[in-house]
């Protein structure tokens, strides 16, 4: 399938539509296989004990899948998460950014299904795995 948004376009979209969190993320790669999104880990992302908190890992997975879908359908701000299941498998490495590798398993007219593997940068074993479903709003045509 043809890509409709590249890494630069996705980052601009994120800044324009979700400026409150855009600085936390960077798009490392966009290709036919999906999107790799980086969470630029800072102190605000940590929980007691110095590890990245679960809500921040969830945010990485959710935003990565959102951008993977937009890379295929274009800038549809109102595509929304309808389901997410996440497994936290191991503690993230201290002092490392996290990478969310999103791939779309099915892209239909109204639903998209995919998964995201979350890794500590440089590590081979995933920190978390998320399965997500998104609702894609209908395309409105002018009468």
């Amino acid at each position: 399938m043809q890509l409709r948004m590249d890494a630069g376009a996705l980052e601009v979209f994120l800044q324009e539509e979700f400026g409150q969190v855009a600085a936390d993320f960077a798009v490392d790669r966009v290709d036919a296989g999906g999107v790799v999104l980086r969470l630029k880990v800072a102190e605000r992302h940590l929980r007691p004990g110095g590890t990245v908190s679960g809500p921040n890992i969830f945010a990485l997975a959710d935003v990565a899948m959102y951008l993977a879908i937009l890379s295929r359908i274009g800038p549809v701000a109102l595509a929304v998460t309808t389901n997410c299941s996440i497994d936290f498998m191991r503690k993230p490495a201290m002092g490392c950014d996290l990478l969310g590798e999103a791939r779309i398993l099915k892209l239909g007219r109204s639903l998209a299904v995919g998964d995201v593997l979350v890794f500590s940068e440089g590590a081979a074993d995933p920190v978390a795995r998320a399965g997500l479903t998104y609702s894609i709003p209908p395309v409105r045509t002018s009468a």
Side-chain angles (χ1 to χ4, degrees), residues 17-135:
E17 298 295 331
F18 298 97
Q20 68 274 29
V21 297
D24 288 346
F25 301 104
V27 179
D28 277 13
R29 186 182 82 229
V30 179
D31 59 29
V35 166
V36 176
L37 184 67
R38 173 182 301 270
L39 174 63
K40 298 183 273 187
V41 175
E43 188 174 343
R44 70 183 170 279
H45 300 115
L46 305 180
R47 60 169 306 218
T51 189
V52 177
S53 72
N56 283 294
I57 295 171
F58 172 86
L60 173 60
D62 193 33
V63 174
M65 181 54 58
Y66 181 61
L67 296 181
I69 293 165
L70 296 186
S71 76
R72 303 275 183 89
I73 67 172
V76 180
L78 296 178
V80 296
T81 310
T82 59
N83 187 57
C84 179
S85 173
I86 189 164
D87 297 307
F88 298 99
M89 299 185 288
R90 57 188 47 83
K91 185 177 176 181
M94 302 281 277
C96 292
D97 285 350
L98 295 182
L99 302 174
E101 298 182 1
R103 74 181 168 148
I104 297 172
L105 302 173
K106 179 185 184 297
L107 181 58
R109 286 189 310 267
S110 61
L111 288 178
V113 178
D115 62 18
V116 179
L117 289 176
V118 177
F119 295 89
S120 292
E121 185 174 30
D125 295 324
V127 168
R129 182 206 59 86
L132 296 104
T133 303
Y134 265 75
S135 175

